[in-house]
Every structure is written in structure tokens, then in C-alpha cells.
Amino acid sequence: MAFFKTARPYIIAGPCSAETREQVLATAAALSAMNVQLMRAGVWKPRTRPGSFEGNGAVALEWLQEAKQLYKLPVTIEVAEPAHIELALRYGIDVLWIGARTVVNPFQVQRLADALKGVDIPVMVKNPVSPDVDLWGGAIERFEKAGISSVAAIHRGFSGYTPAAGYRNQPNWPIPIELKRRKPELSMICDPSHITGDRNRIAEVSQKALDMHFDGLMIETHPSPDEAWSDAAQQVTPDALREILATLIVRQEYTHDMSSLEQLEHLRQLMDSLDAEIIDLIARRMELSEKVGDVKQLSNMTAYQPVRWREIVDTRGQRGEMQGMTKEFIVELYEKIHHESIRIQLSVLEGKAKEVKD
Ligand code: PEP
Ligand code: MN
């Protein structure tokens, strides 16, 4: 069975940073008595700004090795340099992960992949800080090409210019969903700690990830979170982790229950025919766009008219809200439709302009 699918959900827990030998051993002791498959700890910490705790480096690898031997718990660390990989392998680290700030740099990712040639160790690749599915998928491919047979993707949210909706790093579920569509075999792990930045919201985001078909969770866990040297607000105690895990509902993708299958089949048939109608209606709307293009061409008007677009946003947004949807959703949908309509109108304007010249 694929490495990250040996348990459902596959749980990775442990401190943001390996701070002291005592802290590492205490965490490992607690986690080994729970349903945790892998212990995490940062040894080299990529901090956004200088001056924060940047990890203990190689000495922390000795603590992890000791913890692994004492408690029979496999361990994982973040690596960002080929030299980190060399040391990690020397100290028997079981799984490596690549951090969000490293994944943005294809040169560095390639250097890491090259350093792993001939060594088949499982690798987890966090999403890059920006919501770029190609960059994320590209980093994963570099490890696959280097011969790594167990690769997992970790969704840890994306940086924004402003902290959005109370998240530390905004989750953007369509991006991991698209990655999984492109790579159906890929194991998907969610890191609710870095997404929320808030220990009180770990359970909620973990449940959402499981409902979105994620295979596992990486949850920062520390014996005394408030005293943590990094990411204090988002770490939970081992006891809190046990409670979170106990409340999670693990759902299946499929069921054998005939009545549910029949109901689903019926609802999906209704959806299929509605979708056909929606597509036909959009096509009719696009035919109107072409006619609008003709009128605008004759009267020398611009294809894009900001006043009209504002009116569409207001009226469609309101109608969507009346129907129980969010204004944001309807506006996003209409952005796509309007964009296509403008493209059609532009091609009418350009085509007619060309005819005039010819
Ligand atoms: C971490 O896992 O502690 C970490 C630094 O993560 P990220 O690369 O997601 O910021
Ligand atoms: Mn952290």
C-alpha cells in the first residue's frame, strides 16, 4: 500500500521546531501512545524575517534519532539544502518535507531532487506560498523524476497581501483538488496549523480536509504550546490532539448502500439535465453577445463598458443572494461569462474592422 495510505487519516504530529532534547522526547513519548504515524519537527526553520529562532540544526537530529529509537515512531523534518538531506539521511530520518518557501524556487527544488538520486525516501511537498498549481505540481514531478516513489502533497494555505478571513494562510481548496485531478495517485495531506495559525480552529479545518478527500493531516503539537519558540498560537498539546482526532469523522468516497446509491443516481441525473440546459442557455447568451458586438461596431462603441458591468455585478449578485447563494460566487461566475462575452465582441469588432480595410 502506498506509504501515506497505511492509515486513514494518516496523522503527522509534532512541534513546529525541535527546541530541546527534553521537548523532543516528551513529545515523542506522548505521540507514540496515540494513533500518530509520523512525528514532525523543524530542525532548520525558514523564518520569514531574520532574528527569529532559526532552528537548532544538526544537534536536533540526534534528539530525533533518540526519540525514534526509544518510541519506535518514524520521524520527518524539513530540508531546504542538499546538505540538510545528507545529514537527515545520516541520522536515519524516515521522511523529508519541502517547505512552502523552498517550493517556489525550481532551481533549489531541482538541487534537492538531485541530492536524492538513488535514495528512495518518502518526500512531502508543501504548496508554494503563492496559489500556483503548476509550480506545486512541477516540484512534485522533480522528485518523482529523481526516483522517489512515495510523494505526498501538503496543503498549508497561501500567503495573501492581507490576512484573509481570519486565516494565517488562506486555504484555496480548488488548487489541491486540481492537483489531485492531474495526479490521481498522489497522497494529499492538509496542514491545518499553518492554514489557521490558531489552535482553536484546527479541528474545523481538519474535518473540512477529510471531507475534501485528503488522506492525512499534519498538526503541530507541543508539550507546552504557549512557550513554543516558533508558531506558539497554532500548536496544540498532545492531549488536545487526542481530542481533535477523536472528534474527526472519517467518511468514505464510496458506499455499498443501495438506497443511497439510487438516490445519488437520481439526483445526478437531474443535475446532468440541468447542466445541459445551463450550457445551452450560456450558448444563447453568447449568440446575443455577437449581436451586441455588431451594434457596438456600427455605432463605434467600446466592447467593455464599465457602467454595464457594474450593473451586471449588482443585479446578478442580488438575484443570487435572493436565491440563497453568495454574491461573491455569482460575481465570480459572471466574471467568467462576461469575459467570454467581451472576447466574442472584440472578435466581432476586429473582424469587421478587418473587413472594412479589405
Ligand atoms: C513548518 O511546517 O513549520 C513550516 C515552516 O511550514 P511552511 O513551509 O508551510 O511555512
Ligand atoms: Mn510551524
Side-chain angles (χ1 to χ4, degrees):
M1 194 188 289
F3 186 85
F4 298 100
K5 299 194 176 157
T6 46
R8 218 173 149 257
Y10 185 91
I11 302 295
I12 305 157
C16 179
S17 308
E19 297 165 4
T20 62
R21 176 172 171 273
E22 292 65 35
Q23 175 237 22
V24 169
L25 294 182
T27 314
L31 297 181
S32 66
M34 295 165 54
N35 204 358
V36 167
Q37 280 66 50
L38 184 64
M39 171 159 152
R40 63 151 283 153
V43 165
W44 295 279
K45 299 300 298 173
R47 306 313 299 273
T48 301
R49 295 167 62 195
S52 339
F53 173 59
E54 296 198 318
N56 281 307
V59 64
L61 292 170
E62 290 175 20
W63 309 333
L64 285 168
Q65 193 174 41
E66 194 180 342
K68 173 181 163 173
Q69 280 161 3
L70 277 175
Y71 298 103
K72 310 276 174 271
L73 190 60
V75 288
T76 181
I77 63 162
E78 173 176 351
V79 290
E81 299 280 352
H84 296 166
I85 292 183
E86 200 188 309
L87 280 165
L89 296 175
R90 198 182 306 159
Y91 282 89
I93 300 297
D94 300 277
V95 176
L96 304 175
W97 94 77
I98 317 299
R101 295 163 193 77
T102 305
V103 177
V104 291
N105 181 349
F107 287 127
Q108 191 64 5
V109 172
Q110 191 57 52
R111 291 177 68 208
L112 298 176
D114 290 343
L116 282 173
K117 285 231 169 85
V119 191
D120 193 4
I121 182 172
V123 174
M124 305 186 288
V125 181
K126 287 207 171 192
N127 64 250
V129 285
S130 52
D132 184 335
V133 68
D134 292 321
L135 196 55
W136 193 5
I140 287 166
E141 272 157 37
R142 288 178 198 275
F143 290 103
E144 287 170 343
K145 283 205 167 132
I148 301 295
S149 53
S150 295
V151 183
I154 304 181
H155 182 213
R156 50 75 82 191
F158 300 94
S159 310
Y161 182 60
T162 48
Y167 291 108
R168 178 176 177 200
N169 293 293
Q170 175 84 15
N172 189 335
W173 303 100
I175 301 250
I177 286 173
E178 171 58 13
L179 186 66
K180 177 91 180 162
R181 188 190 64 77
R182 294 183 189 183
K183 295 179 163 293
E185 297 308 317
L186 190 63
S187 298
M188 304 295 295
I189 289 164
C190 176
D191 171 349
S193 309
H194 290 88
I195 286 179
T196 62
D198 174 359
R199 68 176 70 107
N200 297 311
R201 298 184 65 196
I202 305 292
E204 155 206 338
V205 173
S206 299
Q207 184 62 56
K208 173 143 191 185
L210 294 189
D211 293 343
M212 301 296 272
H213 203 277
F214 274 71
D215 300 291
L217 300 167
M218 181 190 252
I219 300 179
E220 283 190 341
T221 310
H222 189 292
S224 36
D226 285 333
E227 277 125 55
W229 301 2
S230 57
D231 290 354
Q234 70 195 34
Q235 302 203 58
V236 296
T237 60
D239 280 343
L241 176 69
R242 186 183 287 108
E243 270 172 44
I244 292 170
L245 297 182
T247 61
L248 290 178
I249 302 170
V250 183
R251 297 188 167 92
Q252 313 297 322
E253 183 174 358
Y254 301 107
T255 177
H256 295 294
D257 178 64
M258 281 318 280
S259 134
S260 307
L261 287 172
E262 276 163 21
Q263 285 177 51
L264 265 186
E265 180 60 23
H266 173 66
L267 293 170
R268 284 178 172 163
Q269 274 174 10
L270 291 176
M271 279 182 175
D272 289 349
S273 67
L274 275 183
D275 282 344
E277 277 180 50
I278 291 173
I279 291 171
D280 293 351
L281 281 176
I282 294 176
R284 275 171 56 199
R285 194 187 191 283
M286 294 306 164
E287 279 167 21
L288 293 179
S289 299
E290 211 171 324
K291 296 201 170 103
V292 166
D294 285 335
V295 176
K296 287 181 178 170
Q297 196 273 330
L298 281 175
S299 50
N300 235 358
M301 292 164 83
T302 54
Y304 172 57
Q305 297 185 329
V307 174
R308 168 69 177 156
W309 172 233
R310 228 169 295 144
E311 182 196 320
I312 291 182
V313 166
D314 289 344
T315 55
R316 277 46 162 187
Q318 271 170 21
R319 195 180 172 96
E321 274 183 329
M322 268 164 50
Q323 292 283 12
M325 293 175 277
T326 65
K327 185 169 177 201
E328 290 70 33
F329 163 64
I330 293 294
V331 170
E332 238 173 76
L333 188 63
Y334 267 89
E335 269 167 2
K336 296 254 178 344
I337 293 177
H338 186 247
H339 189 76
E340 178 63 5
S341 171
I342 294 290
R343 188 192 65 75
I344 291 173
Q345 294 181 42
L346 283 175
S347 75
V348 173
L349 294 189
E350 283 159 16
K352 291 278 161 61
K354 198 164 163 278
E355 268 173 36
V356 172
K357 264 196 237 152
D358 291 349

